[in-house]
Structure formats: structure tokens, C-alpha cells
Amino acid sequence: MIVDCAIYRHGIRTEGPEDLSDALDEARAAGGFAWIGLHEPSEREFDLVTREFGLHPLAVEDALKAHQRPKLEVYDDSLFLVLKPVVYEPAGDTVSTGEIMIFIGDCFVVTVRHGEGSPLASVRRRLEQEPEMLDKGPTSVLYAISDAVVDHYLDVATELQTDLEELEAEVFQPDTGGSRNTASRIYTFKRQVLEFRRATGPLTLPMTRLAGPGALGGGVPFVDDKARPFFRDVSDHLARVNESVEALDRLVSDILSAHLAQMSVRQNDDMRKISAWAAMAAVPTMLAGIYGMNFDHMPELHWLWSYPAVIAAMAVLEVLLYRLFKRRGWM
């Protein structure tokens, strides 16, 4: 559905017409631009926007179906950018992503939002309080949305780092070294990092292109050249995010390996203890088995002190074995 429609002239908002077919004409006549915001529009709702603003059918298909990777596409009459805002849910320590599709033309901006993770409402309010920024045209909207999404990436990376430190402390507990569910938690955390990585990694190339000329960059239509330093700032923040994500991924893999190694060591300790107790139990069993055989001629069988002597021998051997295993750390 259409959640907002406004025309901005010299950075000042005026309400857009109810009929979208007049929005573009009014924006051009006023020397400003129109900003139409949509949330999970149906194909029928988006048809009118497509016809009036001349959006490319391939980009329209992406905007309707969603589930796109972050990318930047340049068409004859518009620029199409896909962003994936990330939402961190502290209650479940989970990461979820939404999608924002931005169409930029000479005097219009069309934003399509999928999911709940979107900073568009706050971005629009902030921009409307900065008329000098809005006066730069559609480029200002493109920059503001990109900056808000990437800045929130930094917040999410910080939250994930905190969770990882807690998980690391649990794994390296001196007593238990983590519970039975620790491996499952580590694997779940790794999946959250992977989800985060899918949102941040592919965005590097689009931000590099918007930032200006370079090895991977070039002139991008519908983007003011004076805005390129601002996009370079966004690109720098994104580079920091990607470095954090890479570090998180490596650390969680190392923590998982350490946890599995600890589990293996504890299992070996348990097996040594079981073996030690089994060896101690074997000595009296052996002596009792020998003297339990029904032979007439057994050493000292009819001796008065034979029974106490055998019991004493068992006790001495048990003590010797216990001290030996204790010294070697088996018990």
C-alpha cells in the first residue's frame, strides 16, 4: 500500500495529490521532486506507479517479489538500489532482515519496503527537519536511507559482539566448559552472523560505485557529483561493518572448535577414570576368582590366617593402584 506521498520544493514538504498521475507533473512544475513510499505493494497497486514513473519492468519485478541481494542497477530513466536493513532481536538473540528498494529518477523517488526492519519513517522525518539537505534532490534521499541502514549495521555488529563475548565466557568456564546446549547455541549464532553477512557483503560494490570514480566506480546517473564524498563516508562505514562480520565469523568458528576440543578432552578424562576404576575392581575380582575355584590343593588354603591375608592383599593392591592412578591424574 502507499504509506506516504509528498512533493518537496526547496526542501519544504507539500502534500502530494491523491492521484499519483499528477504527482510527477506537479513536482516538475514546482522544480522539486516527489517521494512516494510503499509498503509491500500488490501488483495492481504498483502498476500505476510503474506507468506514471516509467520504471523498468525488471526492476519492478524485483521490487514486487523481493528476496533480492543488495545491488545497484542503472536503467535509462531511473536508478534502482536494493538495501537489506537488519533488525536485531535481543529477546531471542536473532538477526532478521527486511528489504528496501529505491527508485531514483530526475525528479522522483519511489521507495518500496518489505518486512518490518526499515528506517524509512525516521529518515523522512529527519530529512524534513533539514531542508537544506532535501534541497539537493533525490540524491539526498538515496544517501540518507543508505546512511541510516549502514549505521544500524554498526549497532547490530556491536550487539552481536556482546553476545559472542558471553558465549565465549560460557565455553571457557573453568568448571564445566559449557553446557550440553552450548554447541547448538554456537551453531545458531553462526547462522545469525551468516544472515548478517548476506546483507552487508553484497552492498560493497553498489556503495563503491556511488562513491565515485575509481577501480570499481564510475559516474552513476541521477546522482549528484557533489554527493559522492557522502557516499564515500557510507562506504567507509560499510567497510568497518564487513571487517566486524569477518572477525565475528572467524571467532565463532574458533570458539566452536575450542568447545569441541574441550568436549573431547572431558570424554578422554571420563574414559580414563572409568578405566582406572575398572582396573581397581579387577584385582579383588581376580583374587576372589582364584580362591573360589574348588581345588583341594590351594596355597595356604587351610591356614588359619589365609582369609585375612587375602583381604589385606586386596586392600594393599587397591591402595597402590589408587595412588598410582591419582599421581597420573586419572582419578
Side-chain angles (χ1 to χ4, degrees):
M1 63 177 180
I2 299 176
V3 295
D4 203 347
C5 176
I7 295 175
Y8 297 91
R9 182 175 182 273
H10 301 306
I12 305 301
R13 174 186 176 118
T14 59
E15 294 301 325
E18 295 183 1
D19 188 354
L20 287 181
S21 61
D22 298 330
L24 189 58
D25 294 335
E26 288 190 18
R28 285 174 175 163
F33 69 94
W35 183 358
I36 291 89
L38 302 98
H39 178 235
E40 297 182 357
S42 64
E43 185 174 352
R44 181 178 180 181
E45 290 173 333
F46 207 54
D47 279 343
L48 178 60
V49 179
T50 301
R51 291 195 304 269
E52 295 302 327
F53 294 95
L55 305 180
H56 197 279
L58 291 177
V60 171
E61 182 181 0
D62 290 343
L64 287 172
K65 292 185 177 180
H67 304 294
Q68 303 295 316
R69 298 174 73 248
K71 63 179 180 178
L72 177 66
E73 299 286 352
V74 178
Y75 299 104
D76 294 336
D77 299 324
S78 63
L79 185 71
F80 179 58
L81 176 66
V82 179
L83 301 170
K84 294 184 75 70
V86 173
V87 176
Y88 175 79
E89 300 174 0
D93 294 337
T94 58
V95 170
S96 59
T97 58
E99 289 186 49
I100 298 176
M101 284 79 168
I102 309 172
F103 295 87
I104 299 291
D106 56 348
C107 57
F108 70 86
V109 178
V110 176
T111 55
V112 182
R113 178 167 60 92
H114 291 269
E116 299 301 325
S118 171
L120 292 185
S122 59
V123 169
R124 189 187 285 262
R125 287 194 300 268
R126 179 166 57 85
L127 280 175
E128 288 175 355
Q129 295 173 1
E130 301 177 5
E132 66 281 0
M133 175 68 77
L134 269 176
D135 194 30
K136 305 297 182 182
T139 301
S140 63
V141 178
L142 183 66
Y143 160 71
I145 296 175
S146 302
D147 185 57
V149 170
V150 173
D151 282 349
H152 191 61
Y153 286 165
L154 292 170
D155 297 334
V156 173
T158 301
E159 294 287 349
L160 289 175
Q161 182 64 42
T162 301
D163 287 346
L164 183 60
E165 291 173 358
E166 295 175 356
L167 193 59
E168 186 177 21
E170 178 182 339
V171 169
F172 291 102
Q173 285 179 356
D175 297 332
T176 62
S179 64
R180 294 181 179 180
N181 296 327
T182 300
S184 176
R185 287 189 58 199
I186 295 173
Y187 183 73
T188 301
F189 186 87
K190 190 172 181 65
R191 289 187 63 87
Q192 305 307 316
V193 173
L194 178 60
E195 185 72 16
F196 192 20
R197 192 175 190 174
R198 288 172 178 168
T200 64
L203 189 57
T204 300
L205 182 57
M207 287 298 108
T208 302
R209 292 181 63 187
L210 291 171
L216 297 175
V220 179
F222 309 108
V223 176
D224 191 346
D225 290 339
K226 295 180 180 179
R228 300 196 187 280
F230 295 95
F231 285 108
R232 280 198 292 270
D233 182 66
V234 176
S235 183
D236 290 341
H237 290 176
L238 182 62
R240 288 173 51 195
V241 171
N242 285 325
E243 290 173 359
S244 298
V245 173
E246 290 289 341
L248 287 171
D249 189 53
R250 288 194 301 269
L251 282 173
V252 74
S253 297
D254 293 342
I255 289 174
L256 180 59
S257 298
H259 175 66
L260 295 177
Q262 284 185 327
M263 293 291 291
S264 178
V265 169
R266 285 201 297 272
Q267 289 176 352
N268 290 336
D269 289 341
D270 293 340
M271 289 302 299
R272 286 190 300 180
K273 290 179 181 180
I274 293 172
S275 300
W277 284 110
M280 291 176 64
V283 172
T285 301
M286 179 190 68
L287 293 177
I290 291 174
Y291 277 89
M293 292 185 293
N294 297 318
F295 292 116
D296 291 333
H297 303 286
M298 293 287 291
E300 308 300 341
L301 186 62
H302 300 289
W303 184 39
L304 180 63
W305 300 99
S306 60
Y307 177 74
V310 170
I311 296 300
M314 291 182 182
V316 170
L317 290 174
E318 289 294 301
V319 170
L320 290 176
L321 287 174
Y322 179 81
R323 294 184 62 183
L324 176 64
F325 293 145
K326 189 73 172 178
R327 187 180 301 115
R328 293 188 177 182
W330 286 30
M331 300 187 69

